Amino acid sequence: GDRLSIVHFHPEVMQYVTRGKEKEALNRWRIPVELGEKLGLKDEDKCPDPDSNGEQSYFALPNYSLERATADVERAEAQYIRKAKEFHVQNATLMAEVAANPSKHVLKLNEMEHRYTALSRSHQEEKEMAKKYLSEKKALERKNERLLRGLEKLARRMDKWESTQKIGGTSNRDAKDVYKWATGKELSEEGFFGVEPTGSQTYGASQKSKAWVDPRLDRAAQVRWEDPSISIEDALRTGGFEFPPLDREGEYEKNVLDSEGVSVTNRKTLLHAHLQRRKKRLAKRAESDPEAAREYEARYPP
């Protein structure tokens, strides 16, 4: 009986026939519509169902006959001969010069080969340097991300730290104690975010401590508290935080950093938490203070 061989497929079809096993069974033995039309396939040769990407395609048919293959070979040979003749015509002067003085052109070819080798070596070195630079850049970016996460975590700890907590057996007097406990280093005089800490720095051992809060956060909370119609973003800006506009298309707030490298999302989270604490304090006062109760009902109607 007749046998089927790879030679029965057109050369442009072979890549679709010999490629590895597809994950999707629908994509097997298919060729693009453009190639099928080029090979003269008809509508009845189209696959009845689209492929996994929803595209129409033709069956990869073994319709490459010996006559077509012979014609393609003859056409390729004629094209090669034509281009060879064109090359001889276009480069007749150069070929005559080479025939007259071959040593000159051999030296020139050797020089060009050395230059090519040097350029290839230089290109390879630059590729290695670029690869090394990218590797170092990614390592620094990962390190920077870890540092930012650590700073944000530390900021949350400092914001939520209760005055009754102990650090090394002594009372938590201020933010400097928290920073030293978390990092093992002394906090600079500028404070954690370059802002002078509020409150006394010399609490006694028996004195109640006060958790350190960024004064810009206090100002932002006060602005929002006095005018709830102001957005969180505008309140943060009014409080003193600096960050680029948030209306850029495709930009996520968690990727936008303020002037100190802290994400805007984290700043908003801290401000929301600050406002929630104010709400809880007002609710507690409202239990015994009629004026506070009226204020709470006005702010948070049932």
Side-chain angles (χ1 to χ4, degrees), residues 209-222:
S209 62
K210 182 179 180 181
W212 181 84
V213 178
D214 192 326
R216 295 172 298 177
L217 193 62
D218 273 333
R219 291 194 293 269
Q222 185 64 30

Side-chain angles (χ1 to χ4, degrees), residues 64-83:
Y64 195 51
S65 64
L66 178 61
E67 291 76 13
R68 290 187 62 184
T70 303
D72 287 342
V73 171
E74 291 176 351
R75 185 165 49 252
E77 288 179 346
Q79 187 177 11
Y80 171 78
I81 293 173
R82 178 177 56 79
K83 289 188 176 181

Side-chain angles (χ1 to χ4, degrees), residues 99-230:
N101 191 358
S103 60
K104 175 184 175 181
H105 291 277
V106 168
L107 292 174
K108 189 174 182 179
L109 287 173
N110 287 336
E111 181 185 353
M112 293 178 66
E113 183 178 358
H114 287 308
R115 289 179 59 187
Y116 174 77
T117 303
L119 287 173
S120 298
R121 187 184 304 111
S122 176
H123 177 65
Q124 185 63 29
E125 291 175 355
E126 290 180 356
K127 284 179 62 178
E128 293 295 331
M129 290 179 62
K131 184 178 179 181
K132 181 179 179 182
Y133 168 75
L134 289 175
S135 178
E136 292 176 352
K137 181 182 177 182
K138 289 181 179 179
L140 288 174
E141 288 176 350
R142 290 193 296 268
K143 183 177 180 180
N144 187 47
E145 289 177 0
R146 290 196 299 270
L147 289 173
L148 287 176
R149 287 196 296 268
L151 287 173
E152 293 182 3
K153 184 177 180 181
L154 181 58
R156 289 193 295 270
R157 285 184 178 180
M158 294 173 68
D159 187 66
K160 297 179 181 179
W161 199 267
E162 298 294 338
S163 61
T164 56
Q165 294 289 337
K166 303 293 182 180
I167 299 178
T170 60
S171 59
N172 174 19
R173 287 196 281 268
D174 57 23
K176 288 188 175 183
D177 294 329
V178 180
Y179 187 85
K180 185 176 181 180
W181 170 82
T183 65
K185 299 179 181 180
E186 295 289 346
L187 186 66
S188 64
E189 291 300 326
E190 291 79 13
F192 180 69
F193 287 120
V195 178
E196 184 66 26
T198 58
S200 173
Q201 299 286 326
T202 57
Y203 284 103
S206 61
Q207 207 170 359
K208 287 187 177 180
S209 62
K210 182 179 180 181
W212 181 84
V213 178
D214 192 326
R216 295 172 298 177
L217 193 62
D218 273 333
R219 291 194 293 269
Q222 185 64 30
V223 169
R224 173 78 172 185
W225 187 262
E226 292 176 356
D227 186 1
S229 64
I230 294 179

Side-chain angles (χ1 to χ4, degrees), residues 18 55 102 201 231 246 288:
T18 59
E55 301 290 339
Q201 299 286 326
S231 66
L246 303 180
S288 57

Side-chain angles (χ1 to χ4, degrees), residues 5-10 14 64-65 69:
S5 172
I6 193 69
V7 298
H8 294 119
F9 293 91
H10 192 276
M14 289 190 182
Y64 195 51
S65 64

Side-chain angles (χ1 to χ4, degrees), residues 231-259:
S231 66
I232 292 293
E233 177 186 345
D234 291 338
L236 287 170
R237 293 185 188 277
T238 305
F241 295 102
E242 298 178 0
F243 46 85
L246 303 180
D247 56 354
R248 290 179 293 184
E249 185 177 354
E251 187 73 75
Y252 294 99
E253 290 185 2
K254 66 179 182 180
N255 297 329
V256 180
L257 306 180
D258 63 11
S259 58

